[in-house]
Amino acid sequence: MDYIPLDSFSHYSDCAAFVSDLGYNLVELKITPQKGVVRISAVVSSKDSSVLLSVNDCAKVHRALLTHLEEILGHDDIAMELSSPGMERNIKNAAEFVFFVGRKIRVFSRSSSDWIYGTILSSDKNRLSLKMDDGSTKEFSFDDIAKAKFLGA
């Protein structure tokens, strides 16, 4: 799994600070100009990984972030889709793990060719640490992770 620093994405740092001031985390931001329209896809999460976002939370962030992006992009023809990570999100970028400390996930390990289940303890630029059901801790380098996904409720 690749670790791509989130601040390497266009306007991520500015928007992440803005969303943080609203009380949420910006997990993903994609800005794509298409035929005169700017398409934006954003994923936000609660600052507490055990709290799932409501439709009202998403609507609140959508309204505020859309206005903010119109200002910084200098464009008012924007189509934005904003969502929560969902209950069974596939982790796309290893940089996302930091937002989900405390969440139960499953990781497909290349070295064991199997799914491994645990709770995210920590994450940095190189590895993920999981607490296993037996109380032990297991670390994975991102090179060893083929896939990672939340466990549904």
Side-chain angles (χ1 to χ4, degrees):
M1 176 173 281
D2 292 330
Y3 181 98
I4 304 166
L6 295 172
D7 59 4
S8 69
F9 293 97
S10 180
H11 301 290
Y12 176 85
S13 295
D14 178 57
C15 291
F18 182 81
V19 169
S20 181
D21 288 345
L22 296 172
Y24 304 91
N25 291 318
L26 183 60
V27 176
E28 183 179 328
L29 180 67
K30 292 181 184 172
I31 301 173
T32 311
Q34 290 182 341
K35 299 179 184 176
V37 176
V38 177
R39 300 219 180 269
I40 298 172
S41 173
V43 176
V44 296
S45 71
S46 170
K47 288 193 176 187
D48 178 349
S49 66
S50 67
V51 175
L52 298 177
L53 294 185
S54 69
V55 172
N56 289 338
D57 292 319
C58 288
K60 171 185 168 183
V61 176
H62 183 279
R63 283 189 301 273
L65 185 57
L66 178 59
T67 301
H68 183 68
L69 282 163
E70 287 172 344
E71 286 177 19
I72 64 175
L73 295 174
H75 204 289
D76 62 355
D77 198 2
I78 295 176
M80 185 166 98
E81 177 182 309
L82 185 135
S83 64
S84 71
M87 294 179 61
E88 295 187 12
R89 179 176 177 79
N90 291 319
I91 305 292
K92 300 172 187 171
N93 175 359
E96 294 178 26
F97 287 119
V98 72
F99 296 117
F100 304 115
V101 170
R103 284 292 297 259
K104 291 185 177 279
I105 64 167
R106 62 182 178 160
V107 171
F108 192 86
S109 167
R110 295 180 200 278
S111 61
S112 68
S113 298
D114 201 5
W115 287 101
I116 298 170
Y117 298 78
T119 303
I120 300 174
L121 285 175
S122 64
S123 177
D124 61 23
K125 293 181 179 184
N126 302 304
R127 69 188 53 79
L128 172 68
S129 179
L130 294 182
K131 181 178 181 182
M132 311 311 288
D133 288 339
D134 66 5
S136 65
T137 301
K138 185 162 177 86
E139 290 197 351
F140 298 87
S141 74
F142 293 138
D143 292 338
D144 186 37
I145 299 174
K147 300 181 212 180
K149 185 174 184 169
F150 289 167
L151 291 179

